[in-house]
Amino acid sequence: QVQLVESGGGLVQAGGSLRLSCVASGSIVSINAMGWYRQAPGKQRELVAQITRDASTNYADSVKGRFTISRDNAKNTVNLQMNSLTPEDTAVYYCNAKEISAPTYWYLELWGQGTLVTVSS
């Protein structure tokens, strides 16, 4: 069974930085895309950043130039470096993986449990 486990959330002051990490555990052959979504209170979940297996990236306009997504295919990990954080970045951040191949299973999409990021003003 494949699971996504996140770490790195917490409380930071505006202007500060945080790094989120996510590891896909289990027997995995390949993962197409990995990324991060976030959901703020009262708002819909939105894409923050995504990176494909060949390192193509996609960012939400609101985080371009401040956040950087990276990935280690060999370790099945994805990281999100978040700089110049603002209170508007406060949300639960979810790791996401799409099209995961395992020896006996194929998953269309998996989600982590979420990690809270709080940015104080």
Side-chain angles (χ1 to χ4, degrees):
Q1 184 176 0
V2 177
Q3 292 182 321
L4 302 181
V5 180
E6 303 125 332
S7 61
L11 174 64
V12 64
Q13 288 188 333
S17 299
L18 279 176
R19 182 177 177 87
L20 304 183
S21 296
C22 173
V23 58
S25 63
S27 182
I28 297 170
V29 175
S30 66
I31 302 174
N32 184 9
M34 299 187 78
W36 293 91
Y37 288 69
R38 67 186 180 187
Q39 187 166 17
K43 295 186 177 181
Q44 289 188 332
R45 191 174 297 188
E46 62 175 359
L47 174 69
V48 176
Q50 182 172 278
I51 183 167
T52 63
R53 185 171 179 80
D54 62 359
S56 296
T57 57
N58 180 34
Y59 292 93
D61 288 342
S62 60
V63 308
K64 285 181 180 177
R66 300 188 298 122
F67 291 11
T68 302
I69 191 168
S70 61
R71 172 175 177 172
D72 186 330
N73 290 332
K75 297 180 179 180
N76 295 316
T77 59
V78 61
N79 300 304
L80 185 69
Q81 178 65 41
M82 304 186 294
N83 299 327
S84 303
L85 286 160
T86 73
E88 288 69 37
D89 295 315
T90 295
V92 177
Y93 284 69
Y94 295 91
C95 181
N96 174 271
K98 293 181 171 61
E99 298 179 11
I100 306 105
S101 294
T104 57
Y105 293 93
W106 185 84
Y107 302 84
L108 178 61
E109 186 171 45
L110 288 175
W111 292 92
Q113 79 284 359
T115 185
L116 178 62
V117 172
T118 303
V119 184
S120 63
S121 57

